[in-house]
Amino acid sequence: VQLQASGGGLVQAGGSLRLSCAASGLTFSAYGWFRQAPGKDREFVAAVDWSDRTYYTDSVKGRFTISRDNAKNTVYLQMNSLKPEDTALYYCAASVHNGGLSSQNTYQFWGQGTLVTVSS
């Protein structure tokens, strides 16, 4: 099983990025994105379950959109109106379960992380 995240980079405040995470080796019920800023704990960002229901942390609601393409086994995170406080290493995660998607403990598999840097 492998999760390959990509799409990070350097962007100015107000800009956009789209992260992708390609999964292989297993069919997953749910996907999530988490992030870890320097000196902080890893935190939940967004998740999508098997029925395409989506969940977001409050700080990204209205700016980020998570989606999945089951044919490609890929999950995306479209990030708009980026802020300097969004700067972090972003991780994708996948779960064979479908509940508790804001908890890191729900996920069995993790990608390697992709760095997002937002300049002011």
Side-chain angles (χ1 to χ4, degrees):
V1 175
Q2 189 173 19
L3 298 177
Q4 185 68 42
S6 62
L10 173 64
V11 64
Q12 288 188 332
S16 299
L17 283 174
R18 189 176 83 152
L19 306 184
S20 300
C21 179
S24 60
L26 200 62
T27 299
F28 297 103
S29 292
Y31 293 93
W33 286 96
F34 291 77
R35 66 186 179 187
Q36 186 168 21
K40 295 188 176 181
D41 293 334
R42 190 160 58 183
E43 64 174 359
F44 169 74
V45 177
V48 57
D49 71 11
W50 66 274
S51 64
D52 282 338
R53 183 174 297 180
T54 57
Y55 307 86
Y56 299 94
T57 192
D58 286 346
S59 63
V60 308
K61 285 179 181 177
R63 300 189 298 122
F64 291 12
T65 303
I66 188 171
S67 60
R68 61 190 293 172
D69 184 334
N70 292 329
K72 296 182 179 179
N73 279 345
T74 300
V75 62
Y76 304 97
L77 185 68
Q78 177 66 44
M79 305 185 295
N80 299 328
S81 301
L82 283 160
K83 304 175 181 180
E85 51 263 43
D86 295 318
T87 294
L89 191 61
Y90 282 71
Y91 296 91
C92 62
S95 175
V96 299
H97 306 301
N98 208 41
L101 297 183
S102 63
S103 170
Q104 298 182 52
N105 295 332
T106 293
Y107 300 87
Q108 298 81 41
F109 304 98
W110 291 81
Q112 82 285 8
T114 184
L115 182 62
V116 172
T117 303
V118 184
S119 63
S120 57

